Amino acid sequence: MIPCQRDLFDLPDDVAYLNCAYMSPLLRQAVALGAEGIARKARPWTISSDDFFAESERARRLFAELLGAQADDIALVPAASYGVAVAAANLPLREGRRILMLAEQFPSNVLAWRELAREKDGEVVTLARPPDGDWSTAIMARLDERVAITALPHCHWTDGGLIDLVSVAARCREVGSALVIDATQSLGALPFDLAAIRPDYLACAGYKWLLGPYSTGYLYVAPRWQDGRPLEHNWIARVGSEDFSGLVDYQDGYQPGARRFDVGERANFGLMPAVIAGLEQLLRWGQPATIETLSARTAEIVERARALGLSALPAQLRAGHFLGLRFAGGVPAGLPEQLAKERVYVSLRGDSLRVTPHLYNNDADVDRLFEVLERVL
Ligand SMILES: Cc1ncc(COP(=O)(O)O)c(C=O)c1O
C-alpha cells in the first residue's frame, strides 16, 4: 500500500478532490518543469535541433514502459479522439459488417466509428447496459463473425464497470474482429496486460490517470498496423528529419515504428517536461501498488455509502480505482450545491455520483464527502 502522496500536489487542505476521472491535478514538480519548458521559448536560441527529439522520445519510452510495449509501438497524439481517428482511418470495414461498442461510451471512441459505418455502409451495434453490470458476458454474447471492429474502454467512464479484456480479446481473434481500446480512464492506475490482450490500437488521453497536462496523449499501434496511413503528413515523422538542413529533400520514408502517426509539432517544449514528470512518478509508484491502494480506498467508500442506502457495482465487476454510487431515488435535491459549497469535488453522471480518488486523497477527504452525504440524505 502506498502512503498518502498529497505533498507532491498543490492541494489545499480544505479541498476534497475526488475527481481524477475528470482530470488529475498536476504534480508540483510537473508545474515547475512545465513553467521552465514554456519559459524556454522566451529564449529560442537556447532550443537546439536535438531538443525536438530528446524529450518527446523520452515521453514515448516512458509511456511504452507503463504499457509494457516498445517505444517503437507508440505515437504521440494530442487526444484520445486523434488516436481513435488513426485506427478508424486504417482498419478495413466491409459493407454490412459491424462495429461493436457499449452504451454511453465516451464520444471519442464512438463518433469516428459512427462516421466510418456511415461511409462504408457498416453497422454500429451498441450494447445496452446489462442490468447485472456484467459487460464482459454481454460483449461475448454479441461478438461473432459479423463484427469487424470491437471498440471498447477497459472500464466504463460513468461508473468503472470493468471489462475482461483478456477474454474479449481472445474472442476477437477467434471471430476475426479488430480490437481498439480507449484506456483514458484506466491506464496509469489499472494495469493493462498488453501481452495477453494484444489490441490492434490503444488510445489514451494523458490528462487524467497519467497525471499529464491537457492536450497530450498516446496511441499504441500493433506492429501489424505500423505501415498504415497517418492522418497528416508532418516533417518530423519522415526519415532523416534530424538533419534540419536537409528538410527540403522531401522524403517518402518514415521514422521507425508508429512515429509516422505522431501529431505535428509533437516536440512540445512547454508540455513535454510536465508529461515526463507525470509518467516517471507513475512508474515510481507502480501500477500494481497504485491499484491496490486505490481499490482499498474505493472499497471503504462503498461500505460507508451502503450504510446510507447507496449502491455500487460489485467489486469483481468494477475497476478498483473507479466508483459510481447510485441513489435509489435519483440524485437528491441540493446535493450538487452542497458538495460545491463544501469544496468536495466529484462528478454527477445521470443518477450516479462518480467518485474517483487518487493517491493524493486522505481520510479527511472521504470524511468530508460523507459529512455532506449524511446531511443531504
Ligand atoms: C473514456 C474517455 N476517453 C477519452 C476522454 C477524452 O477524450 P479526448 O482526449 O478525445 O478529448 C475522456 C474524457 O472524459 C474519457 O472519459
Side-chain angles (χ1 to χ4, degrees), residues 168-311:
V168 167
R171 178 63 149 256
C172 282
R173 283 190 289 274
E174 240 170 68
V175 301
S177 169
L179 178 62
V180 181
I181 303 297
D182 173 6
T184 301
Q185 290 290 11
S186 51
L187 204 71
L190 185 67
F192 186 89
D193 188 346
L194 184 75
I197 298 168
R198 291 185 274 142
D200 293 85
Y201 294 88
L202 177 147
C204 190
Y207 69 94
K208 298 176 190 279
W209 304 92
L210 298 181
L211 306 181
Y214 200 66
S215 79
T216 60
Y218 309 87
L219 175 67
Y220 163 85
V221 182
R224 63 187 166 284
W225 297 110
Q226 288 176 8
D227 58 358
R229 194 159 48 93
L231 292 188
E232 46 149 320
H233 298 281
N234 66 70
W235 62 270
I236 203 166
R238 294 298 167 109
V239 70
S241 56
E242 295 85 353
D243 176 11
F244 282 20
S245 64
L247 290 181
V248 290
D249 298 332
Y250 309 118
Q251 298 292 328
D252 291 329
Y254 291 97
Q255 295 273 341
R259 288 174 183 80
R260 67 176 61 195
F261 304 110
D262 282 353
V263 68
E265 298 196 16
R266 64 118 203 268
N268 196 328
F269 311 108
L271 300 187
M272 275 303 151
V275 163
I276 290 169
L279 293 173
E280 284 182 339
Q281 182 61 67
L282 291 172
L283 287 165
R284 275 196 293 276
W285 288 330
Q287 289 179 103
T290 302
I291 194 66
E292 194 190 335
T293 309
L294 297 182
S295 299
R297 178 66 82 192
T298 59
E300 167 211 343
I301 296 172
V302 171
E303 206 173 300
R304 289 178 70 170
R306 282 226 175 92
L308 295 177
L310 290 137
S311 62

Side-chain angles (χ1 to χ4, degrees), residues 21-22 78-82 105-109 153 155-157 182-185 204-208 214 216 322 349 354:
Y22 168 63
S81 59
Y82 189 104
Q105 201 159 289
F106 193 79
S108 294
N109 197 18
C155 67
H156 205 288
W157 73 295
D182 173 6
T184 301
Q185 290 290 11
C204 190
Y207 69 94
K208 298 176 190 279
Y214 200 66
T216 60
F322 219 101
R349 294 280 174 269
R354 191 178 68 179

Side-chain angles (χ1 to χ4, degrees), residues 46-101:
T46 68
I47 300 174
S48 74
S49 56
D50 285 351
D51 294 336
F52 282 74
F53 297 87
E55 282 175 342
S56 46
E57 285 304 321
R58 180 153 182 72
R60 195 189 312 276
R61 274 201 307 279
L62 290 168
F63 179 81
E65 192 179 333
L66 201 70
L67 183 64
Q70 302 298 315
D72 273 1
D73 303 333
I74 308 302
L76 299 173
V77 298
S81 59
Y82 189 104
V84 173
V86 171
N90 284 279
L91 288 173
L93 181 71
R94 290 201 316 273
E95 190 183 330
R97 299 258 284 159
R98 294 181 167 177
I99 305 175
L100 189 65
M101 60 184 75

Side-chain angles (χ1 to χ4, degrees), residues 7 25 41 46 104 182 228 264 340 351:
D7 288 352
K41 191 153 178 307
T46 68
E104 298 178 349
D182 173 6
D351 64 349

